[in-house]
Tab-separated table of all heavy atoms in Angstrom:
chain	number	residue	atom	x	y	z
Y	65	ARG	N	20.017	-1.028	-2.992
Y	65	ARG	CA	18.809	-1.261	-2.195
Y	65	ARG	C	17.634	-1.378	-3.157
Y	65	ARG	O	17.457	-0.539	-4.036
Y	65	ARG	CB	18.593	-0.088	-1.240
Y	65	ARG	CG	17.324	-0.162	-0.446
Y	65	ARG	CD	17.209	1.014	0.513
Y	65	ARG	NE	15.872	1.158	1.034
Y	65	ARG	CZ	14.877	1.776	0.415
Y	65	ARG	NH1	15.085	2.324	-0.756
Y	65	ARG	NH2	13.682	1.846	0.949
Y	66	ILE	N	16.843	-2.443	-3.004
Y	66	ILE	CA	15.674	-2.629	-3.872
Y	66	ILE	C	14.420	-2.159	-3.165
Y	66	ILE	O	13.570	-1.498	-3.729
Y	66	ILE	CB	15.527	-4.116	-4.270
Y	66	ILE	CG1	16.791	-4.592	-4.982
Y	66	ILE	CG2	14.310	-4.321	-5.159
Y	66	ILE	CD1	17.153	-3.819	-6.229
Y	86	ASN	N	16.735	-1.794	-11.423
Y	86	ASN	CA	15.617	-0.893	-11.675
Y	86	ASN	C	14.320	-1.681	-11.895
Y	86	ASN	O	13.265	-1.342	-11.367
Y	86	ASN	CB	15.920	-0.044	-12.907
Y	86	ASN	CG	15.181	1.273	-12.877
Y	86	ASN	OD1	15.153	1.926	-11.839
Y	86	ASN	ND2	14.590	1.643	-13.982
Y	89	ARG	N	13.126	-2.915	-8.587
Y	89	ARG	CA	12.474	-1.838	-7.821
Y	89	ARG	C	11.066	-1.605	-8.325
Y	89	ARG	O	10.136	-1.387	-7.539
Y	89	ARG	CB	13.291	-0.555	-7.938
Y	89	ARG	CG	14.591	-0.610	-7.145
Y	89	ARG	CD	15.514	0.503	-7.546
Y	89	ARG	NE	16.685	0.560	-6.668
Y	89	ARG	CZ	17.704	1.383	-6.841
Y	89	ARG	NH1	17.707	2.219	-7.878
Y	89	ARG	NH2	18.711	1.387	-5.994
Y	90	GLN	N	10.884	-1.662	-9.647
Y	90	GLN	CA	9.535	-1.494	-10.204
Y	90	GLN	C	8.607	-2.602	-9.718
Y	90	GLN	O	7.464	-2.350	-9.351
Y	90	GLN	CB	9.581	-1.523	-11.733
Y	90	GLN	CG	10.083	-0.236	-12.340
Y	90	GLN	CD	10.211	-0.357	-13.860
Y	90	GLN	OE1	9.568	-1.180	-14.487
Y	90	GLN	NE2	11.046	0.490	-14.441
Y	93	MET	N	7.694	-2.002	-6.089
Y	93	MET	CA	6.721	-0.927	-5.911
Y	93	MET	C	5.353	-1.326	-6.446
Y	93	MET	O	4.331	-0.914	-5.902
Y	93	MET	CB	7.202	0.324	-6.614
Y	93	MET	CG	8.385	0.897	-5.892
Y	93	MET	SD	8.195	2.643	-5.676
Y	93	MET	CE	9.800	3.148	-6.131
Y	96	LYS	N	3.615	-3.111	-3.787
Y	96	LYS	CA	3.108	-2.167	-2.763
Y	96	LYS	C	1.841	-1.488	-3.258
Y	96	LYS	O	0.887	-1.295	-2.508
Y	96	LYS	CB	4.164	-1.091	-2.484
Y	96	LYS	CG	5.301	-1.558	-1.603
Y	96	LYS	CD	5.214	-0.911	-0.222
Y	96	LYS	CE	6.345	-1.353	0.671
Y	96	LYS	NZ	7.628	-0.799	0.222
Y	97	MET	N	1.823	-1.124	-4.536
Y	97	MET	CA	0.689	-0.388	-5.093
Y	97	MET	C	-0.554	-1.269	-5.174
Y	97	MET	O	-1.632	-0.871	-4.786
Y	97	MET	CB	1.084	0.148	-6.479
Y	97	MET	CG	0.057	1.030	-7.154
Y	97	MET	SD	-0.507	2.421	-6.175
Y	97	MET	CE	0.466	3.774	-6.786
I	76	MET	N	-5.087	7.621	-3.007
I	76	MET	CA	-4.304	7.304	-4.200
I	76	MET	C	-3.190	8.327	-4.391
I	76	MET	O	-2.059	7.968	-4.730
I	76	MET	CB	-5.228	7.278	-5.425
I	76	MET	CG	-4.533	6.959	-6.735
I	76	MET	SD	-3.646	5.406	-6.744
I	76	MET	CE	-4.996	4.250	-6.704
I	79	LYS	N	-0.362	7.715	-1.994
I	79	LYS	CA	0.367	6.524	-2.421
I	79	LYS	C	1.350	6.866	-3.548
I	79	LYS	O	2.498	6.414	-3.547
I	79	LYS	CB	-0.651	5.500	-2.921
I	79	LYS	CG	-0.383	4.101	-2.459
I	79	LYS	CD	-1.586	3.236	-2.769
I	79	LYS	CE	-1.175	1.792	-2.705
I	79	LYS	NZ	-2.295	0.892	-2.902
I	80	LYS	N	0.866	7.673	-4.497
I	80	LYS	CA	1.727	8.018	-5.630
I	80	LYS	C	2.854	8.942	-5.220
I	80	LYS	O	3.983	8.808	-5.712
I	80	LYS	CB	0.881	8.639	-6.742
I	80	LYS	CG	-0.135	7.660	-7.288
I	80	LYS	CD	-0.399	7.839	-8.767
I	80	LYS	CE	-0.967	6.551	-9.324
I	80	LYS	NZ	-1.681	6.707	-10.579
I	83	GLN	N	5.488	6.860	-3.669
I	83	GLN	CA	6.298	6.114	-4.642
I	83	GLN	C	7.310	7.014	-5.330
I	83	GLN	O	8.445	6.609	-5.570
I	83	GLN	CB	5.386	5.433	-5.658
I	83	GLN	CG	4.490	4.386	-5.012
I	83	GLN	CD	4.448	3.066	-5.746
I	83	GLN	OE1	4.401	3.029	-6.967
I	83	GLN	NE2	4.481	1.974	-5.009
I	86	GLU	N	10.138	7.443	-3.039
I	86	GLU	CA	10.971	6.240	-2.998
I	86	GLU	C	11.928	6.208	-4.185
I	86	GLU	O	13.106	5.882	-4.032
I	86	GLU	CB	10.071	4.999	-2.986
I	86	GLU	CG	10.790	3.650	-2.980
I	86	GLU	CD	11.349	3.256	-1.626
I	86	GLU	OE1	11.250	4.062	-0.687
I	86	GLU	OE2	11.899	2.143	-1.527
I	87	TRP	N	11.436	6.568	-5.362
I	87	TRP	CA	12.317	6.619	-6.534
I	87	TRP	C	13.403	7.666	-6.337
I	87	TRP	O	14.557	7.469	-6.742
I	87	TRP	CB	11.533	6.933	-7.808
I	87	TRP	CG	10.865	5.724	-8.383
I	87	TRP	CD1	9.525	5.507	-8.481
I	87	TRP	CD2	11.494	4.547	-8.911
I	87	TRP	NE1	9.287	4.271	-9.036
I	87	TRP	CE2	10.462	3.666	-9.316
I	87	TRP	CE3	12.823	4.143	-9.082
I	87	TRP	CZ2	10.715	2.419	-9.877
I	87	TRP	CZ3	13.072	2.895	-9.643
I	87	TRP	CH2	12.028	2.056	-10.030
I	90	HIS	N	16.011	6.089	-4.231
I	90	HIS	CA	16.822	5.165	-5.015
I	90	HIS	C	17.860	5.928	-5.828
I	90	HIS	O	19.018	5.519	-5.934
I	90	HIS	CB	15.945	4.361	-5.978
I	90	HIS	CG	15.180	3.253	-5.324
I	90	HIS	ND1	15.734	2.425	-4.371
I	90	HIS	CD2	13.910	2.828	-5.482
I	90	HIS	CE1	14.832	1.546	-3.983
I	90	HIS	NE2	13.712	1.779	-4.641
I	237	SER	N	15.242	7.671	9.742
I	237	SER	CA	16.284	6.917	9.053
I	237	SER	C	17.670	7.294	9.568
I	237	SER	O	18.540	6.440	9.679
I	237	SER	CB	16.179	7.139	7.539
I	237	SER	OG	16.190	8.510	7.238
Side-chain angles (χ1 to χ4, degrees):
Chain Y
R65 175 178 165 277
I66 302 302
N86 206 45
R89 288 166 173 175
Q90 283 176 23
M93 290 227 225
K96 283 251 180 70
M97 185 54 98
Chain I
M76 180 57 70
K79 223 169 163 176
K80 297 214 158 160
Q83 296 227 319
E86 179 78 356
W87 279 114
H90 283 318
S237 54

